[in-house]
Amino acid sequence: MACNTSNTAMLSEIKDLLRHFQFREVLSDDTSSKTIWLLGTIATTNVASVVDEPVVPGHNAAIVVLERLAFSPQTIAKADCSFDSVLLATGERNDVYAWATGDARAAALKPDVRIALIYPATQKHIDKHRRQQRKWVCETPELYAKVTKPFIDSQPTSRIQWVYNILSKQVESEHIVFEDPDPECGFVIVPDLKWDAANTDNMYLVAIVHRHDLRSLRDLTSNHLPLLNNLRSKAAVAAQKYDVSSDQLRLYIHYQPSYYHLHVHITNVMLEGKGMLAGRAHLLDSVIDNISNIASDYYQRATIPYVLGSSDELWSHWTTHQNLSSNEPSATTT
C-alpha cells in the first residue's frame, strides 16, 4: 500500500510539472524510434502560464520526450481488442487490401505514449538532445591523455549524484532487479529509463558498478576481469525475471558514455537501436577477450574511434586541441 501511495504521489507531481510546461522548440526527432524531444519552460512562479518566460538552463528549462510505445502482444491477447470507436482520417482500398490513418481508441492499445521529463534541464541536456552534426574521432592513447582524460577529470561529482543515489538506495530501490553488494566486484541492475518494462523483446537493463574509481572503458585492465565476468554471469540471472534467456542477451559498454561512472547495457538481442552502433558500443564479451587474450592493458594502449555531436562539450575540447596543434590529424566531420 505504501508503495502504491508513493507512486500515486509521484505521478501527481509529474502531471503537475507537465501541466505547467510551455513549449518553445523541437530539439530533434527520430522517426525510426518514433520519438521527439521538446524544449520548453516550467513556470518558476505561481502563475499557471508564463508564455514569454525565457529558457534558462539549470533553472526553468525543461525537456519533454514523447515516444510512441511498441505494441504488446501479451496485452492485446488479454484485452478486448475492439475497434467499435475507431476514428479514421484518411484511407484507401485496393481489392482485398485496405489501409487508413486515425485513432484506434482501443483499450488494448493503451497507453500508447511514454512521456519523459528532464527538469531543470542543463545546457548539457539541451545540447545532447538538439539535432547537430556528427563528428568522427580517432582517439589514440596520447590524445586520450591530452584531451579526453582532462575533460573527464573536470566533470563535477554533482553530475552523477543521481547514480550514487541509486547505488545507496536513496531512490529507485524498488526498481532494483538484481544486486551484488560486493564493493569490488558488485553492482546493481535496474531497468533503463528508455524501456517501458512491459515488452520483453525490448528489454533494456543497466548494470551500475559499486566502485567509484571506474569511469569508462579506458580504465579497465586485467585487475577488473573478476568484476566483468561476474557481471556477465549475473546479468543472465537478472534477465530471467523477464523470461529472457542468456542466449538472448546483448551486453555492451558505451565509449564515450553518457555519464562517467562505469555501467554496462543489458538488452534483448531483439532490440535494435542507435546506441548499439559501431562508434559507440563495445560488446562486453569482446572487452573481456581483448583484456584476457591480447593485452592486460589493452584499453590503455588501443586507439578507440567514436562519434561526438558538434555541440558536445568534449568536442569543443577536441577543436581547441586541433587549433593548438593543427598539424595533428585527429578528427573529421561525417
Side-chain angles (χ1 to χ4, degrees):
M1 180 64 70
C3 182
N4 290 337
T5 301
S6 175
N7 187 59
T8 301
M10 179 179 63
L11 288 176
S12 177
E13 180 183 357
I14 295 172
K15 184 176 180 180
D16 187 60
L17 288 171
L18 290 172
R19 186 169 62 87
H20 289 86
F21 178 79
Q22 293 294 321
F23 170 76
R24 291 294 184 272
E25 65 173 290
V26 174
L27 290 175
S28 62
D29 67 285
D30 183 351
T31 56
S32 61
S33 65
K34 298 180 176 61
T35 304
I36 191 166
W37 288 263
L38 311 176
L39 175 65
T41 63
I42 290 180
T44 55
T45 70
N46 292 326
V47 180
S49 177
V50 184
V51 176
D52 297 325
E53 186 177 27
V55 176
V56 182
H59 184 54
N60 68 345
I63 297 173
V64 170
V65 187
L66 302 177
E67 177 190 0
R68 290 288 187 183
L69 294 179
F71 295 115
S72 170
Q74 297 88 346
T75 301
I76 292 178
K78 294 177 182 178
D80 176 17
C81 193
S82 170
F83 298 100
D84 292 343
S85 302
V86 65
L87 294 178
L88 300 182
T90 60
E92 293 184 36
R93 183 171 182 178
N94 183 351
D95 193 28
V96 299
Y97 304 102
W99 56 95
T101 60
D103 185 350
R105 296 199 170 188
L109 305 181
K110 305 294 183 180
D112 60 357
V113 66
R114 181 177 182 276
I115 305 174
L117 173 67
I118 303 173
Y119 171 76
T122 65
Q123 189 63 52
K124 183 177 177 65
H125 291 130
I126 296 171
D127 292 342
K128 175 182 177 181
H129 295 297
R130 191 187 295 279
R131 187 181 299 278
Q132 55 192 294
Q133 282 189 317
R134 299 295 172 183
K135 308 291 184 176
W136 185 260
V137 173
C138 283
E139 183 188 272
T140 64
E142 294 74 23
L143 288 171
Y144 169 74
K146 291 179 181 179
V147 182
T148 308
K149 189 175 184 301
F151 169 74
I152 296 174
D153 290 341
S154 72
Q155 300 303 293
T157 305
S158 58
R159 286 194 174 178
I160 55 173
Q161 183 58 49
W162 65 274
V163 174
Y164 299 153
N165 291 343
I166 293 174
L167 293 174
S168 63
K169 300 187 177 69
Q170 293 183 44
V171 297
E172 298 191 44
S173 59
E174 70 277 12
H175 296 149
I176 293 176
V177 179
F178 182 93
E179 179 179 18
D180 183 332
D182 187 275
E184 295 294 318
C185 297
F187 46 85
V188 299
I189 297 179
V190 295
D192 189 273
L193 293 174
K194 293 184 285 294
W195 183 41
D196 61 11
N199 188 339
T200 57
D201 282 351
N202 294 335
M203 188 200 75
Y204 197 142
L205 308 175
V206 178
I208 305 173
V209 304
H210 278 300
R211 295 180 59 150
H212 289 198
D213 60 329
L214 298 177
R215 297 179 295 183
S216 78
L217 186 67
R218 284 285 191 189
D219 294 326
L220 296 175
T221 68
S222 58
N223 293 330
H224 307 113
L225 286 175
L227 165 62
L228 299 178
N229 283 308
N230 183 42
L231 198 155
R232 180 171 58 179
S233 63
K234 299 295 175 53
V237 176
Q240 288 176 359
K241 179 176 179 180
Y242 305 102
D243 295 322
V244 178
S245 61
S246 59
D247 59 359
Q248 294 176 295
L249 293 181
R250 179 192 284 121
L251 282 74
Y252 54 93
I253 299 172
H254 280 158
Y255 191 77
Q256 293 290 319
S258 55
Y259 55 95
Y260 292 103
H261 181 103
L262 187 68
H263 56 285
V264 177
H265 301 259
I266 306 166
T267 67
N268 191 321
V269 292
M270 297 291 289
L271 178 65
E272 301 290 343
K274 292 183 178 179
M276 303 163 198
L277 296 177
R280 192 175 190 197
H282 297 257
L283 294 173
L284 182 61
D285 285 329
S286 296
V287 171
I288 292 173
D289 185 71
N290 289 338
I291 295 173
S292 300
N293 298 319
I294 299 179
S296 62
D297 58 348
Y298 179 91
Y299 289 100
Q300 290 75 57
R301 297 165 55 183
T303 293
I304 305 179
Y306 53 84
V307 175
L308 289 175
S310 58
S311 297
D312 194 291
E313 280 185 282
L314 179 54
W315 175 248
S316 68
H317 286 252
W318 276 90
T319 55
T320 299
H321 175 77
Q322 284 180 301
N323 291 335
L324 294 175
S325 52
S326 58
N327 62 329
E328 184 175 32
S330 56
T332 56
T333 303
T334 58

